[in-house]
Amino acid sequence: MPFAQRLTCTIDDACEVTGLGRTKLYELIGAGRIVTTTIGRRRIVVVRSLLALLETNMSN
């Protein structure tokens, strides 16, 4: 399945796809620019929020 069609991904997947480090990714999560959800102890990233972040940065 293409990445853009996925609903969620792991933090590691998000780092790999965006090229960002874990620290920067967690900064963006803390700032509310990337949406995540926690299931049990696992934090997963909403792929749509990653795509929206990248589209916003590309249009600037």
Side-chain angles (χ1 to χ4, degrees):
M1 172 182 296
F3 185 81
Q5 292 180 358
R6 293 174 61 178
L7 296 176
T8 62
C9 68
T10 64
I11 295 290
D12 288 337
D13 288 343
C15 290
E16 183 179 331
V17 169
T18 61
L20 299 173
R22 290 177 71 87
T23 301
K24 186 61 177 179
L25 196 68
Y26 277 107
E27 284 178 20
L28 292 168
I29 291 167
R33 298 194 54 204
I34 295 177
V35 178
T36 65
T37 189
T38 304
I39 299 175
R41 293 178 48 197
R42 185 174 184 156
R43 181 182 293 259
I44 54 176
V45 177
V46 177
V47 170
R48 280 180 285 167
S49 69
L50 278 179
L51 297 174
L53 175 72
L54 296 174
E55 287 174 10
T56 300
N57 285 337
M58 290 177 67
S59 66
N60 290 337

